[in-house]
Every structure is written in structure tokens, then in C-alpha cells.
């Protein structure tokens, strides 16, 4: 296939029930990885998909009212086993993955953001895997 610098983007939508605990995150990551495979491999005979995009909070929306509840039940450190799985899939498919941020565990803050450098930098932030 001719890849003269042109590539395509797949925009994926999710509709997961809101997780109550960190234990529920893995099944969402499983499904999102399947969606990446479907987009990249499914369109491969027609054109290269090199960017796969998911909405903010695709895997973990903040469903609690207080920072303490979020920190106790949903927040995860960055990097973690889930970011490692996305990074591994990127290496396999030669695609970038842009996804909404999980609720990260920080020392003083819990926030939803694209961590790292600005998005326009080539290897910006872990959400741009």
C-alpha cells in the first residue's frame, strides 16, 4: 500500500457504564484495544489508519462528588498497567492513540487532562500514545 505521508483517523465512541472501582477499568481497556484493532486492521486494505481517537472519559469518567472518593475508588498512578497496554498496542499497529484521560492519582490533585507536553509536539503526553 502506498503510504506517501497521508493517513486516516478513526474516531471511536464508547458507551460504558460508569465504573465504581479501579477493578472495572481493565475490561474497558480490553474493549478499547479491540476497537483499535478493528479500526486499524479493518481499514488496512483501503488506507492506513494511523490515529485512533476516543472521547474524554472513555474508560473512566469521574463519577464521585469529592476528591477523596475519586482518589480512594478510581484514581490510578501514571503510568500504569493500562497505559502500558495502550503503548504496546501502538507499537504493534504503528498507530497513535488519543484517548480521554483516566482519573489519575496525584499527590495533591486529581484532574482530567492530557498529561505531558502540548499535543502539537510529536510525542506529547501519555494520552497521545
Amino acid at each position: 500500500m502506498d503510504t506517501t505521508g497521508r493517513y486516516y483517523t478513526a474516531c471511536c465512541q464508547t458507551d460504558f457504564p460508569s465504573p465504581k472501582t479501579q477493578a472495572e477499568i481493565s475490561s474497558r481497556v480490553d474493549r478499547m484495544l479491540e476497537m483499535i484493532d478493528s479500526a486499524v486492521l479493518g481499514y488496512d486494505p483501503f488506507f492506513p489508519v494511523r490515529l485512533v481517537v476516543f472521547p474524554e472519559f472513555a474508560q473512566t469518567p469521574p463519577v464521585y462528588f469529592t476528591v477523596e472518593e475519586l482518589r480512594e475508588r478510581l484514581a490510578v498512578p501514571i503510568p500504569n498497567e493500562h497505559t502500558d497496554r495502550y503503548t504496546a498496542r501502538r507499537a504493534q499497529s504503528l498507530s497513535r492513540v488519543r484517548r480521554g484521560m483516566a482519573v489519575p492519582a496525584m499527590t495533591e490533585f486529581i484532574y482530567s487532562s492530557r498529561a505531558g507536553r502540548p499535543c502539537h509536539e510529536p510525542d506529547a503526553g501519555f494520552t497521545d500514545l
Side-chain angles (χ1 to χ4, degrees):
M1 170 174 294
D2 181 27
T3 56
T4 58
R6 189 171 202 165
Y7 63 89
Y8 289 78
T9 300
C11 298
C12 300
Q13 184 58 283
T14 61
D15 186 22
F16 302 127
S18 296
K20 303 290 188 269
T21 68
Q22 296 171 355
E24 297 175 62
I25 296 172
S26 184
S27 63
R28 286 154 178 77
V29 175
D30 291 343
R31 178 64 185 128
M32 291 170 69
L33 292 173
E34 290 172 359
M35 294 171 79
I36 292 168
D37 288 345
S38 293
V40 173
L41 300 175
Y43 283 106
D44 190 53
F46 309 106
F47 46 78
V49 171
R50 295 291 176 254
L51 175 64
V52 181
V53 180
F54 289 95
E56 184 178 21
F57 304 129
Q59 71 183 33
T60 316
V63 295
Y64 294 102
F65 293 108
T66 67
V67 170
E68 292 79 22
E69 289 174 303
L70 282 170
R71 183 175 284 128
E72 179 184 314
R73 297 181 182 142
L74 278 180
V76 293
I78 299 171
N80 57 56
E81 67 272 16
H82 310 302
T83 58
D84 293 345
R85 292 173 67 197
Y86 288 115
T87 301
R89 188 56 47 93
R90 174 191 176 196
Q92 289 173 352
S93 66
L94 303 176
S95 295
R96 298 181 80 82
V97 178
R98 167 83 53 199
R99 64 181 180 80
M101 187 75 153
V103 180
M106 304 299 287
T107 0
E108 298 180 43
F109 304 99
I110 293 180
Y111 64 96
S112 172
S113 172
R114 282 184 228 131
R117 299 175 302 243
C119 296
H120 63 274
E121 293 185 18
D123 291 316
F126 93 89
T127 58
D128 189 13
L129 301 172

